[in-house]
Amino acid sequence: MTLRNGLDSLLRPEDSVLLLIDHQPFQLLSLNSHDPQVVINNTAGLTKLAKAFDVPTILTTVIVNQGGKLFPQITDVFPDQEVIDRTFINTWQDEKVVEAVKATGRKQLIIAGLYTEVCVAMPTIQALGEGWDVTVVTDACGGVSLEAHQVAIQRMIGAGANVMTWLAVGGEWQRDHSRVESDIKFA
C-alpha cells in the first residue's frame, strides 16, 4: 500500500469533490454508532465547508419516496442542487453519480453517508479500485452499530482510503489562518 504522506497528500479545495450519500430521515432509525443529531450536525458542517470553499458537491438519496428527502441542513446549503435518487445500494454503480463526479474534473473524492458499512464502504472500495483518491469523513457517517461502523472504516483503510473528520477536512482546505477567501475561521 502506498503511504499517504507529504504535502501533496493533503486535501485541496480546488482538487476536491464531495459525495454525500443517503443522509435521509429513515436512515436514522437504525443508526446506533453515533448520536443521530451529531451526525446531522457534522454533515451540515461539512456541507457548509464545501460551499465556502467552492467544492462541487454531489447529493444522493436512495428511493426518496420511501426514505424521505435529504436532511434540510444539507439542501438548505444547496437549494438549487439536483439530488440524484438511486436504486443501487452501491452509489458508485449509478452511472449518473459517477458521471457527475467525473464532470467536476476533480481527483480527490470525499465521501460521507449512511450507513458506513454498506452505502459508504461499497462506493469507496470500488472508486479506490478505479484509481480515485478517496477520503471518508467518518463523523459525517454512521452505522447500525459501533462495531459495523468501525469495521467498515478498517476495511476502507485496508483498501487504501484516507479517513478524517469534517473539521480536519476544513483545516486541510483552509491551510492558512490568513486565507480569507472562504470566510471560515479556525481558532
Side-chain angles (χ1 to χ4, degrees):
M1 180 168 65
T2 304
L3 295 177
R4 294 183 58 91
N5 55 35
L7 187 60
D8 287 340
S9 70
L10 299 178
L11 296 177
R12 297 168 299 282
E14 64 275 9
D15 292 329
S16 297
V17 55
L18 176 62
L19 175 59
L20 296 178
I21 302 171
D22 305 345
H23 289 97
Q24 299 167 263
F26 88 107
Q27 299 285 49
L28 298 177
L29 297 175
S30 297
L31 179 68
N32 294 301
S33 63
H34 296 76
D35 177 283
Q37 190 60 55
V38 171
V39 173
I40 293 169
N41 293 346
N42 293 345
T43 305
L46 179 62
T47 303
K48 290 174 184 177
L49 284 172
K51 176 118 177 155
F53 285 100
D54 293 322
V55 171
T57 301
I58 312 302
L59 306 176
T60 71
T61 54
V62 64
I63 312 175
V64 72
N65 292 344
Q66 294 174 13
K69 297 180 179 180
L70 290 176
F71 303 146
Q73 294 87 338
I74 297 170
T75 54
D76 288 352
V77 175
F78 296 107
D80 299 322
Q81 176 100 10
E82 175 192 5
V83 177
I84 300 171
D85 191 41
R86 317 173 329 277
T87 58
F88 282 105
I89 295 170
N90 177 358
T91 304
W92 207 249
Q93 285 185 285
D94 188 298
E95 289 182 27
K96 194 170 182 182
V97 173
V98 175
E99 289 306 315
V101 171
K102 287 180 179 179
T104 69
R106 310 291 179 100
K107 302 300 179 200
Q108 295 178 326
L109 177 59
I110 301 166
I111 298 178
L114 300 173
Y115 299 117
T116 316
E117 63 272 25
V118 179
C119 299
V120 174
M122 292 170 74
T124 295
I125 292 167
Q126 183 177 350
L128 286 163
E130 295 174 7
W132 287 83
D133 177 3
V134 182
T135 296
V136 175
V137 185
T138 59
D139 63 350
C141 297
V144 298
S145 69
L146 184 57
E147 180 180 8
H149 177 77
Q150 290 173 336
V151 169
I153 291 169
Q154 291 171 358
R155 183 174 182 218
M156 291 182 284
I157 291 169
N162 186 35
V163 296
M164 56 197 325
T165 63
W166 77 271
L167 189 58
V169 170
E172 289 193 17
W173 283 344
Q174 180 70 22
R175 298 279 179 102
D176 186 336
H177 286 287
S178 68
R179 182 179 186 163
V180 295
E181 305 88 55
S182 66
D183 280 335
I184 300 292
K185 304 293 182 232
F186 291 93

